[in-house]
Amino acid sequence: MRARGSRASTVLASGTALVCLACGDGPSGRAGADDRPDPPAADGELVAVGGTEIFVRRIGSGDPIVVVHGGPVLDHGYLLPHLEPLARGYELILYDQRLSGRSAGQVDSASVRVETFVDDIEALRLELGLGRVHLLAHSWGGLLALNYAVRYPDRLRSLVLVSPMPPSADLWQEEQRRVAERVSAADSASMAQARSSEAFARGEPDGIRAALTAAYRIQFHDRSLVDRLTLFVPEDYNDRSRQFGYMMPDLMDFDLTDRLGRIEAPTLILYGGDEPGASISGEILADSIARATLARVPEAGHFPFVERPEAFLSLVGDFLRDHPNDDP
């Protein structure tokens, strides 16, 4: 999305590494074989909600933390093993959003709306028999979590937003502009090279993974650490990404800022210290949410749990311990 009102094959937002490689004119066709295998199948189950099947993985035991991944179209796997230490005291409930990861790859086009993705969180909470939950969301997932917290304020014990997508389209555009200013000629060449490969042109997972990695690299403080991201690319990634294009009208002109005051849960808003989002939308979120704390992880970008895991886990762990789930 280079400008509001247009469709692009790659979307990069600053605090939101939102990448949709085939929302517009991208590679098409059935994915072929990889030179490098995808990560092994994750342990989990498909849960029927909202007219589709959502892949759910549960790790650990204790008060539930529902984890909302970024992407979109990717799965929850890039958050692991980085979040797994939290499972020592909590049950992590990770799921792949509709059209994403190992969830069903075909949905009704009318259901590809922000509202439906938010409905899925509540449907999963009910289906899994959970009471109030901690909600932890990253990047694009942060926008979904904000919408959920506005709509269902009494369902949350706490809210953790990690490098969240901004609460308005205007702020999103500003963050995109700031990130674009940081892209060097070498960065542009690396992304162009990845997208010009035969594997990418054929829609092969390995080629798509390389393009995603090149896009995400620019959002790291230490760019060599991008290889620590485990990116699962389904064979029908391009078709899923094309379907996600139905979401674009929802992302052209949205604004949650006037409704953020409805959020009742204590909220941790956490960014990598390098991210423009910390100063652009982070302060707005912190000022608008009554019980919010804004924190930065130094020497980190959009993936602070990868670059500075100890600092990240210390901040999140301390916050969660301060807000235990008191449901009976």
Side-chain angles (χ1 to χ4, degrees):
M1 190 181 299
R2 289 181 290 272
R4 190 178 304 175
S6 67
R7 275 191 187 178
S9 57
T10 300
V11 176
L12 287 176
S14 94
T16 312
L18 182 65
V19 179
C20 187
L21 292 175
C23 288
D25 298 327
S28 60
R30 186 180 182 279
D34 274 329
D35 295 329
R36 169 176 70 179
D38 283 328
D43 294 332
E45 62 176 338
L46 289 171
V47 178
V49 296
T52 189
E53 289 186 315
I54 299 293
F55 183 84
V56 178
R57 182 179 186 183
R58 305 175 76 159
I59 304 173
S61 61
D63 293 340
I65 303 175
V66 176
V67 180
V68 190
H69 65 78
V73 187
L74 299 177
D75 73 334
H76 69 273
Y78 75 93
L79 297 165
L80 302 175
H82 316 292
L83 297 189
E84 286 187 20
L86 295 174
R88 295 169 187 160
Y90 301 89
E91 181 182 24
L92 297 181
I93 299 171
L94 304 109
Y95 76 99
D96 296 348
Q97 297 159 23
R98 68 174 52 219
L99 281 180
S100 301
R102 294 175 173 85
S103 293
Q106 294 288 331
V107 299
D108 183 342
S109 61
S111 76
V112 188
R113 304 294 305 276
V114 168
E115 181 178 5
T116 310
F117 278 56
V118 174
D119 289 341
D120 289 341
I121 300 174
E122 177 64 1
L124 283 173
R125 188 190 69 84
L126 294 171
E127 183 67 25
L128 299 177
L130 306 176
R132 290 197 301 160
V133 298
H134 300 283
L135 190 64
L136 187 157
H138 175 242
S139 192
W140 148 253
L143 180 64
L144 302 181
L146 283 169
N147 276 275
Y148 183 90
V150 165
R151 195 187 310 174
Y152 301 107
D154 59 334
R155 309 292 203 269
L156 294 181
R157 179 74 247 161
S158 74
L159 178 63
V160 179
L161 302 172
V162 182
S163 305
M165 185 167 172
S168 76
D170 287 340
L171 291 171
W172 189 31
Q173 291 290 320
E174 174 62 14
E175 291 191 21
Q176 289 184 81
R177 184 187 66 78
R178 292 276 293 276
V179 162
E181 292 173 352
R182 298 182 173 191
V183 177
S184 68
D187 293 328
S188 296
S190 175
M191 288 187 283
Q193 181 179 10
R195 292 172 60 84
S196 66
S197 72
E198 291 186 7
F200 181 84
R202 291 194 295 265
E204 296 178 4
D206 201 46
I208 292 170
R209 188 182 297 109
L212 291 169
T213 299
Y216 290 139
R217 182 177 290 112
I218 67 173
Q219 303 218 20
F220 275 73
H221 173 82
D222 180 349
R223 298 185 179 192
S224 69
L225 297 180
V226 70
D227 291 332
R228 295 185 182 180
L229 285 178
T230 301
L231 300 178
F232 169 71
V233 178
E235 290 194 353
D236 58 347
Y237 177 93
N238 281 339
D239 186 54
R240 291 169 184 257
S241 190
R242 178 191 58 76
Q243 292 179 77
F244 186 83
Y246 293 117
M247 179 77 77
M248 290 302 117
D250 280 4
L251 301 181
M252 296 303 171
D253 189 17
F254 66 93
D255 193 344
L256 280 177
T257 52
D258 289 343
R259 288 175 279 168
L260 295 175
R262 300 179 188 176
I263 298 176
E264 301 172 0
T267 301
L268 175 63
I269 307 160
L270 190 156
Y271 292 89
D274 287 357
E275 291 192 89
S279 57
I280 295 174
S281 56
E283 294 178 3
I284 291 174
L285 289 169
D287 290 342
S288 302
I289 300 173
R291 303 171 67 188
T293 299
L294 177 62
R296 295 172 174 84
V297 176
E299 297 182 352
H302 191 65
F303 300 86
F305 45 87
V306 176
E307 295 197 83
R308 296 291 305 279
E310 292 183 2
F312 171 84
L313 291 168
S314 177
L315 285 166
V316 174
D318 288 349
F319 173 80
L320 291 172
R321 282 189 292 273
D322 287 342
H323 302 288
N325 195 325
D326 56 7
D327 285 342

